[in-house]
Amino acid sequence: MVQGMFLYQDKHTTSQVSNIKEFFEKLLLEEKFDTIIEIGTAYAGLTYILDDIRTENNLNCKIETFDNAEFHFVKDQLEPRGIPYNIMDERTEEFKDLVTNMILNGGKTLVLCDGGNKINEFNFYSDFIKNGDIIMAHDYSESTEFFNENINEKIWNWMEITYDDIKESVEQNNLVKYEKINFDNAVWCCFQKN
């Protein structure tokens, strides 16, 4: 069943498959990140899920989320959790410098590209991730053909990024597809720098 939004602890999760927590819990437990950078907060459903995974498993990692549109209810819900909610235009140099600095100085880092231009986000920030870091992008399918045959109207109905869109960055930055967890059914790509 295709679900674009579901309630997680009475909060909307925008554009995530309903079992997304299982995928990210496995990843966070396996990789033990120091910093998680989320580009594209929306209603913060995934942010809450990541924070709950962190809390439930006593993980010591910082979560910071960014969006270009502010929702006051999101700010009110993230503040008690101690998660910085940054409202910035991701196209500005200030934004790019801030995120790049966080990647370079944040220890082992997970970068989640789920903002307004996932292709540009992935291609730009993949230049800065360090060995062991992981970069992901949402609404992903290996190809249009794979999307039409395996994903569309089966588990998901939206695609914004394919492997062809990021192939050059993957190759130039020595990224490898993360094989420990298959994110195909979560509609995320997941690459780690070696």
Side-chain angles (χ1 to χ4, degrees):
M1 184 166 125
V2 177
Q3 297 180 10
M5 181 179 284
F6 66 97
L7 288 179
Y8 175 78
Q9 297 181 356
D10 297 323
K11 298 172 184 74
H12 282 286
T13 62
T14 304
S15 303
Q16 298 292 337
V17 294
S18 60
N19 61 341
I20 194 64
K21 185 175 181 182
E22 296 169 27
F23 289 94
F24 277 102
E25 185 160 33
K26 288 177 187 172
L27 180 65
L28 269 57
L29 289 173
E30 180 70 33
E31 294 299 327
K32 306 284 195 293
F33 297 102
D34 298 304
T35 303
I36 299 172
I37 301 167
E38 179 186 39
I39 301 170
T41 313
Y43 298 150
L46 183 59
T47 320
Y48 306 137
I49 289 169
L50 294 169
D51 186 45
D52 281 354
I53 293 167
R54 173 177 75 168
T55 303
E56 291 163 7
N57 295 284
N58 200 26
L59 299 174
N60 185 22
C61 67
K62 176 182 179 180
I63 300 172
E64 195 143 349
T65 188
F66 295 85
D67 209 306
N68 63 357
E70 181 173 7
F71 296 101
H72 291 290
F73 69 92
V74 170
K75 182 179 181 183
D76 293 344
Q77 291 170 344
L78 288 180
E79 214 165 69
R81 291 174 176 252
I83 299 173
Y85 177 45
N86 303 281
I87 307 306
M88 301 175 75
D89 184 339
E90 69 179 60
R91 298 167 296 181
T92 65
E93 290 306 311
E94 178 189 12
F95 179 90
K96 291 175 184 174
D97 289 346
L98 178 60
V99 172
T100 299
N101 246 348
M102 290 177 68
I103 293 169
L104 294 174
N105 299 304
K108 186 172 183 178
T109 303
L110 171 63
V111 180
L112 301 173
C113 303
D114 200 9
N117 194 327
K118 297 165 179 73
I119 296 168
N120 286 348
E121 294 160 15
F122 186 100
N123 287 330
F124 183 81
Y125 294 110
S126 62
D127 285 346
F128 301 99
I129 64 169
K130 310 168 300 298
N131 285 348
D133 288 355
I134 288 180
I135 186 165
M136 300 177 65
H138 190 222
D139 297 315
Y140 173 85
S141 178
E142 185 77 22
S143 66
T144 303
E145 295 76 27
F146 186 86
F147 178 76
N148 289 332
E149 291 173 17
N150 301 291
I151 297 173
N152 195 19
E153 299 305 329
K154 294 175 181 78
I155 60 168
W156 202 240
N157 58 6
W158 195 253
M159 181 186 71
E160 291 184 33
I161 182 171
T162 67
Y163 183 72
D164 282 346
D165 296 319
I166 59 175
K167 181 179 184 207
E168 190 175 315
S169 293
V170 167
E171 291 173 355
Q172 284 180 354
N173 292 301
N174 197 28
L175 306 180
V176 294
K177 184 176 179 183
Y178 192 79
E179 299 287 356
K180 294 177 185 174
I181 301 160
N182 182 354
F183 276 93
D184 290 345
N185 288 334
V187 204
W188 283 84
C189 69
C190 185
F191 289 88
Q192 189 165 33
K193 175 136 181 158
N194 278 341

